[in-house]
């Protein structure tokens, strides 16, 4: 393992330790994890799906808007590597999308239309419990090595432990509450991204970078800020929604991407 990958993996485990604190932001953690997957595994995009109390999968975080849209399509069509990884609890790796038209016809077509040529999916699991899946997408031919798969599964396991361990699961229904909170927060974040993209005249990815950067620099919870921006009910919403250049403008988004 090279030093860069080793350092990035170490950072992920440090981030995981932060999940033990009371005000842990699960959505921000999952987005960070998706970004780390792209850096560590040399893939082009990553996304994380979580199941709710009824065992229904939902898109929770992604490294790019294209990955999020493809995951939504995968959920809508109820077919694809992530669905299989969640259902079986086993990795689905090195999927050549051009050769997957028979197995997942709609997903393979949508993935290639988005620019991806291969895909991988790893279950978010702890022993026999599977709470979601990690999606990895590539825009160029290639395979994950055995070492890559081990590293990717370790990252998926980290996400699982972070969610399950949050607040030590003191109550029997905490897992369902945490997952439901993450999914509800996801809706608010998507709404806020749309508001910022429209008001600023920027892409959805740039809008998310702006939103996340502002939350971090002002020590705000990402989901709380997103609700304020979507509802236009706070000074933060006014600040982010004003198309000026002096305060938290799109220039600031560039510097926060990937942080």
């Amino acid at each position: 393992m090279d030093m860069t990958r080793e350092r990035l993996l170490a950072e992920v485990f440090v981030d995981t330790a932060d999940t033990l604190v009371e005000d842990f932001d699960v959505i921000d953690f999952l987005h960070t994890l998706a970004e780390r997957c792209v850096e560590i595994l040399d893939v082009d995009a990553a996304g994380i799906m979580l199941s709710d109390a009824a065992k229904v999968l939902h898109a929770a975080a992604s490294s790019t808007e294209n990955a999020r849209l493809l995951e939504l399509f995968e959920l809508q069509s109820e077919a694809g590597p992530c669905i299989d990884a969640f259902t079986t609890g086993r990795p689905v790796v090195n999927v050549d999308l051009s050769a997957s038209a028979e197995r997942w016809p709609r997903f393979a077509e949508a993935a290639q239309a988005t620019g991806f040529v291969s895909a991988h999916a790893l279950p978010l699991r702890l022993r026999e419990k599977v709470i979601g899946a990690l999606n990895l997408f590539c825009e160029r031919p290639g395979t994950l090595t055995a070492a890559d798969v081990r590293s990717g599964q370790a990252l998926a396991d980290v996400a699982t432990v972070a969610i399950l361990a949050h607040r030590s699961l003191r109550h029997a229904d905490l897992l369902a509450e945490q997952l439901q909170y993450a999914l509800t927060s996801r809706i608010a974040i998507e709404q806020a991204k749309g508001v910022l993209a429209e008001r600023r005249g920027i892409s959805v990815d740039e809008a998310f970078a702006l939103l996340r950067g502002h939350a971090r620099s002002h020590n705000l919870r990402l989901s709380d800020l997103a609700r304020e921006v979507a509802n236009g009910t706070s000074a933060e919403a006014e600040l982010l929604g004003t198309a000026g250049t002096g305060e938290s403008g799109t220039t600031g988004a560039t510097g926060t991407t990937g942080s």
Side-chain angles (χ1 to χ4, degrees), residues 17-170:
D18 289 340
T19 66
L20 300 177
V21 303
E22 188 70 17
D23 61 347
F24 164 58
D25 191 335
V26 63
I27 289 293
D28 190 60
F29 171 76
L30 293 177
H31 276 286
T32 297
L33 187 67
E35 292 169 352
R36 291 289 183 261
C37 287
V38 172
E39 296 170 327
I40 293 170
L41 302 175
D42 193 29
V43 296
D44 295 295
I48 296 170
M49 293 184 183
L50 295 177
S51 67
D52 59 20
K55 304 297 183 184
V56 176
L57 279 176
H58 301 266
S62 58
S63 63
T64 68
E65 182 68 8
N66 276 348
R68 187 185 76 85
L69 294 175
L70 183 56
E71 285 188 317
L72 292 176
F73 185 87
E74 186 175 9
L75 292 173
Q76 185 180 44
S77 62
E78 297 183 340
C82 188
I83 305 296
D84 286 7
F86 173 69
T87 302
T88 65
R90 295 192 297 270
V92 179
V93 298
N94 298 326
V95 174
D96 181 352
L97 294 173
S98 64
S100 301
E102 183 175 346
R103 185 177 183 183
W104 307 302
R106 296 179 62 194
F107 172 78
E109 181 181 359
Q112 292 181 83
T114 312
F116 298 119
V117 300
S118 62
H120 322 273
L122 304 168
L124 269 63
R125 67 189 183 198
L126 181 63
R127 300 183 181 92
E128 300 303 314
K129 183 185 290 294
V130 182
I131 65 170
L134 168 65
N135 266 330
L136 305 170
F137 304 111
C138 298
E139 297 173 351
R140 58 198 184 285
T143 60
L144 290 185
T145 66
D148 288 332
V149 174
R150 287 194 297 271
S151 295
Q153 189 60 62
L155 292 167
D157 293 344
V158 161
T160 307
V161 170
I163 295 169
L164 294 177
H166 183 43
R167 298 179 184 174
S168 302
L169 290 180
R170 287 189 294 268

